[in-house]
Amino acid sequence: MEKKERDDKAHCLVLPYPSQGHINPMLQFSKVLQHKGLKITLVTTHRFHSTMHRSPFTSIAFETISDSYDEGGILQAETTEAYLDSFQKVGTNTLIELLEKLSCSGNPVDCIVYDAFMPWPLDVAKKFGIVGTVFLTQSCAVDNIYYHVQQGLLKLHLPPDFEILLPGLPPLQPSDVPSFIHAFGSYPAFFKMVVDDQFSNVDKADWILCNTFDELEEEVVDWMAKFWPLRTIRPTIPSKYLDKRREDDTEYGFSLFNPNTDACMKWLNAKPKESVAYVSEQMEELSRGLKRSKSYFLWVVREKEAAKLPKGFVEEASEKGFVVSWRPQLEVLAHEAVGCFVTHCGWNSTLEALSLGVPMVAVPQWTNQSTNARFIMDVWKMGLTASADENGIVRQEEIARCVREILEGDRGTEIQMNALKWKILATTAVDEGVMSSSVYFVMSSRSIHTLDRSGTEQAALSSSFLNASDEDELSKNVCIDQEGQKLNIFC
Ligand SMILES: O=c1ccn([C@@H]2O[C@H](COP(=O)(O)OP(=O)(O)O[C@H]3O[C@H](CO)[C@@H](O)[C@H](O)[C@H]3O)[C@@H](O)[C@H]2O)c(=O)[nH]1
């Protein structure tokens, strides 16, 4: 094939592991890189690409490689091990073919940003002499735990009351660490992926990016940055929900399921402020717990899980609850009627709730979720963990208690104040420049407006607040509520 001239923009391939929770942050990060002038191509598997719903607003270029299960993806594979092995072999070959094709068509690649769950693209990057950057999709705390296990510095099979002391982290119990560690042996393929493989060649990567922001995990980020070329990438949330600086950045843009119609937003619009629990997990006790809490609830239940709901539940609960199979989550979390988020504590959901200031009821299931839950409740103080009983089941009474406590109880007020703090910190983390030059004021506990010092943004709303504040207050990052009261968040 004849080689074409290349254009002058650096070209970066971004390779997420093919699942929604990995595509979302890496696609969002791709948009940031593109906005900064890089040429981006997002690469996913044939199967994943053919089943995704792509927003017409997504301007990122897509290419595909093969995991050899082009019809059914991981569900077609006999075992998770078989899938991961095949993805490594066939993925490597098809990635090489893709790099050659792009080079011949005048789009040579300068850098590969690859998901740490699949470490093999680094070998391909080295073979082609291009920059290899690993993207850690989970929290820095969780990465630190896995890294210590991989290095043999944290033992498996610890007694339940053992105190785990790791640099940069608060003391942890064995039940706080990811299930692949505390229930070692139950998920061998995933253990290999997140412990052995994820860190197998990390020392050879040119850069290590972590899907977190400094303020959220300061100590552990500082510690890991001492021996790794580590950078945090700030919250990967579309601009519409944080700094509102980019009008075209309103959604992630690539989703596995077809979003439900607007019936869900219509339902939310008719509910009072902060009265609804938004739920993204599914199980019988949860359904009874929600009913028992007597709160409004909006519940995402996947079609394949709907059969697990108690018979007649949807009809019986229809006065208080609304059940949908998929909905762009950010849109729901940003709605003023939503007062708390009952979540399985996936890292993206956790970051989204933190960034949008929505208190959480943590109901962790497996993998990294128990660690995220521990941080949500005890470190960021942004929610409550619904505790499991001696059989490991989170009972309906406990779920109802947590939902009520957050929506109506005294601790709910304290948690909401912390939620507000995290929303502001996430917004400021998106753009370093904002922090020193802006003042934030709060129209309600969920709606924060950013002004520059001249008050030009939101001018009509701003003048009274700016008048009420002296120059000293402006120079700190004060937060002022609707009555002009300082909330002392940054002072
Ligand atoms: O109805 C829905 C449900 C989810 N989402 C989005 O889908 C993503 C889900 O990601 P996450 O919260 O991380 O959950 P999982 O998809 O379950 O993520 C898996 O991958 C994550 C990253 O490795 C881990 O942190 C989780 O534990 C693991 O379950 C988020 O961006 C949500 O906004 C929607 O838009 N609509």
Side-chain angles (χ1 to χ4, degrees), residues 72-141:
I74 193 165
L75 298 176
Q76 198 190 343
E78 275 173 20
T79 59
T80 307
E81 285 91 334
Y83 177 78
L84 294 172
D85 275 359
S86 155
F87 195 11
Q88 166 149 8
K89 285 186 200 110
V90 183
T92 297
N93 293 338
T94 48
L95 177 59
I96 290 173
E97 283 164 22
L98 175 63
L99 285 168
E100 286 166 349
K101 181 185 99 174
L102 290 169
S103 175
C104 288
S105 61
N107 287 310
V109 173
D110 303 287
C111 171
I112 299 181
V113 179
Y114 62 94
D115 194 320
F117 276 22
M118 17 185 265
W120 43 265
L122 183 61
D123 299 332
V124 179
K126 295 283 165 200
K127 186 177 155 89
F128 278 72
I130 56 184
V131 175
T133 300
V134 59
F135 187 106
L136 298 164
T137 36
Q138 302 190 345
S139 73
C140 212

Side-chain angles (χ1 to χ4, degrees), residues 256-269:
L256 196 48
F257 303 97
N258 212 350
N260 284 58
T261 60
D262 284 339
C264 166
M265 293 326 259
K266 209 167 141 198
W267 185 85
L268 275 179
N269 288 342

Side-chain angles (χ1 to χ4, degrees), residues 19-22 24 117 137-138 252 278 280 300 302 325-330 344-350 352 366-369 372:
S19 79
Q20 186 79 59
H22 287 238
N24 283 1
F117 276 22
T137 36
Q138 302 190 345
Y252 287 120
Y278 166 58
S280 78
V300 172
R302 304 276 182 279
S325 61
W326 178 265
R327 178 77 228 163
Q329 186 163 286
L330 287 168
H344 69 313
C345 308
W347 184 233
N348 297 288
S349 294
T350 304
E352 288 163 9
W366 71 317
T367 170
N368 57 340
Q369 296 157 12
N372 298 340

Side-chain angles (χ1 to χ4, degrees), residues 441-458:
F441 70 92
V442 182
M443 296 303 291
S444 75
S445 59
R446 297 286 305 289
S447 154
I448 298 173
H449 296 260
T450 312
L451 311 171
D452 64 21
R453 276 161 193 268
S454 69
T456 45
E457 273 180 59
Q458 311 280 347

Side-chain angles (χ1 to χ4, degrees), residues 302-336:
R302 304 276 182 279
E303 272 159 23
K304 66 177 177 62
E305 302 281 342
K308 293 184 194 160
L309 286 174
K311 210 161 174 266
F313 172 79
V314 176
E315 297 74 30
E316 276 168 37
S318 64
E319 199 190 316
K320 286 283 184 179
F322 193 82
V323 179
V324 290
S325 61
W326 178 265
R327 178 77 228 163
Q329 186 163 286
L330 287 168
E331 211 180 331
V332 175
L333 290 176
H335 197 287
E336 63 171 15

